[in-house]
Amino acid sequence: MGEFFASYGLFLLKVITFVVAILIVIFAIVIASSREKKGGSSGRIEITNLNEQYDDMQEALSFSLLDDEAQKLALKDKKTEEKVERKAQKAAAKKAKKQRGDGETVVSEPAKHRVFVMDFDGDIRASDVENMRREISAILTSATEDDEVVLRLESGGGMVTSYGLAASQLDRIKDKQIPLTICVDKVAASGGYMMACVADKLIAAPFAVLGSIGVVAQIPNFHRLLKHFNIDFEMLTAGKYKRTLTMFGENTEEGREKFLEDIERIHQQFKQYVDTRRPSLDIEQVATGEIWSGQDVLDYSLADELSTSDAYIMKRCDDAEVIRVKYKKKKPLSERFSIGIQNTADGLLMRWVDRAFKARFNIG
């Protein structure tokens, strides 16, 4: 009997220890999350030198194609080159220091032009504009008229106000007289094209879709359904056109006409915005809501060149320092913890499904 109670007590102690450990972890997450909310910046700007990235890729591929003896020689040559380069940099720094000490003008090599690369992946709310506005602010702190900004843009459009803000953010680059190139590999339609037309140079991949210069709005109406169940809906407004169409009330012809008038006004603003930034195109011909791709994009002056963003950026690496700028949000500890749990659960589920599938069909 005493042995039973001893075993039971040990089991109970383990359970209590496990529960306390879980509570401590949860408490730590809550405390850390509250501190993060009180803190300042919720993210950081990440800088990637694409010249070095491409050079590393080329070097790795070339090295892998060599035989063992050639690889040893290549490694030896690389170490020698790095040693000579470090020695030259040290000598140059020492010379510059001496020149400054003697009051002489320090002559340095002319700096390469810089190309700053950003990415915008648009959804219906243009959510990525929050990251892009920070990236643009970071670039404008050091970019000059001799530099260039390249935006890789993908968007099928969305809310007018959100994409209007996104396009206005790109106008900040133009206001500083910094050349702006926008590359579209897949789609820049509607609000996406509103952003794309800001570019000094607009490059589209051969099968990328551009255009859709129009405005659309749709709203369901449940008035007849509510009427069928004898449900009344009341809406009180101040102002004749405070609400033109509604989901639950009975819509009137006057309300529809006013709603269409509002849409047409927004469309005219859209057309004017595009026409101002791309005067070479016939705005009345392209502002029909249609989309184009391939040679038609050039024929209608919707873009200036057919190419992929990869080809353009690799070409710029030949004569410029190409830098990718990305704002990365710092996720709260609680969110990272929940994502980790979710990913672990998803992984376990997929492994069990995979095993069950293989067992069912005798695979592997």
Side-chain angles (χ1 to χ4, degrees), residues 38 74 112 119 154 162 194-195 203 226 248 283 321:
K38 292 177 183 177
K112 270 188 172 184
D119 293 290
E154 301 297 338
S162 300
M194 180 188 290
M195 293 177 63
I203 300 173
L226 297 177
F248 302 107
I283 191 63
E321 183 180 7

Side-chain angles (χ1 to χ4, degrees), residues 88-348:
Q89 289 175 350
K90 189 175 179 180
K94 188 176 180 180
K95 182 180 178 181
K97 184 178 179 181
K98 186 177 183 301
Q99 287 177 333
R100 284 193 295 268
D102 296 338
E104 300 178 18
T105 303
V106 179
V107 180
S108 58
E109 293 184 8
K112 270 188 172 184
H113 295 305
R114 295 172 300 178
V115 176
F116 299 94
V117 179
M118 301 185 298
D119 293 290
F120 184 90
D121 188 6
D123 55 19
I124 194 169
R125 298 172 62 87
S127 304
D128 212 19
V129 71
E130 295 302 320
N131 293 343
M132 188 181 73
R133 70 197 303 178
R134 289 177 171 86
E135 293 163 3
I136 291 174
S137 295
I139 291 170
L140 293 182
T141 60
S142 61
T144 68
E145 296 177 11
D146 295 327
D147 298 323
E148 178 186 3
V149 176
V150 175
L151 176 68
R152 294 184 288 199
L153 170 66
E154 301 297 338
S155 175
M159 297 173 63
V160 175
T161 52
S162 300
Y163 277 92
L165 175 60
S168 298
Q169 291 294 330
L170 295 177
D171 278 327
R172 294 171 58 199
I173 300 172
K174 300 289 293 294
D175 292 342
K176 293 291 185 179
Q177 306 299 316
I178 301 171
L180 173 63
T181 300
I182 294 182
C183 299
V184 181
D185 286 329
K186 294 179 183 177
V187 59
S190 193
Y193 191 75
M194 180 188 290
M195 293 177 63
C197 73
V198 180
D200 294 297
K201 183 192 296 182
L202 180 50
I203 300 173
F207 288 93
V209 173
L210 278 73
S212 189
I213 304 173
V215 182
V216 62
Q218 51 191 359
I219 180 172
N221 184 264
F222 301 97
H223 172 68
R224 284 186 292 178
L225 179 65
L226 297 177
K227 187 176 180 181
H228 176 75
F229 288 101
N230 294 319
I231 299 174
D232 293 328
F233 173 78
E234 295 185 5
M235 180 174 60
L236 306 177
T237 62
K240 184 177 180 181
Y241 296 119
K242 178 60 181 177
R243 184 70 69 236
T244 52
L245 295 184
T246 172
M247 291 177 61
F248 302 107
E250 183 176 6
N251 291 320
T252 64
E253 197 59 38
E254 182 184 11
R256 292 188 185 92
E257 290 177 1
K258 176 58 179 172
F259 196 80
L260 285 170
E261 182 184 323
D262 293 339
I263 291 178
E264 184 59 36
R265 186 170 62 252
I266 294 171
H267 187 211
Q268 290 299 325
Q269 292 173 347
F270 190 178
K271 288 163 60 177
Q272 183 180 1
Y273 189 88
V274 175
D275 191 33
T276 302
R277 283 150 184 80
R278 291 196 66 83
S280 59
L281 56 75
D282 184 346
I283 191 63
E284 295 302 330
Q285 186 180 29
V286 299
T288 58
E290 297 173 80
I291 56 173
W292 290 272
S293 63
Q295 185 60 38
D296 289 341
V297 167
L298 299 183
D299 293 341
Y300 287 104
S301 296
L302 289 164
D304 304 304
E305 184 181 328
L306 291 181
S307 179
T308 62
S309 62
D310 300 297
Y312 182 76
I313 290 172
M314 290 188 74
K315 182 180 177 182
R316 295 297 285 121
C317 283
D318 293 336
D319 58 358
E321 183 180 7
V322 183
I323 303 163
R324 182 170 179 254
V325 180
K326 183 174 180 59
Y327 179 79
K328 193 167 184 179
K329 287 184 178 179
K330 184 179 179 182
K331 294 180 180 178
L333 183 60
S334 55
E335 185 178 345
R336 296 200 299 269
F337 182 74
S338 62
I339 290 174
I341 293 176
Q342 182 179 344
N343 290 340
T344 302
D346 289 345
L348 288 171

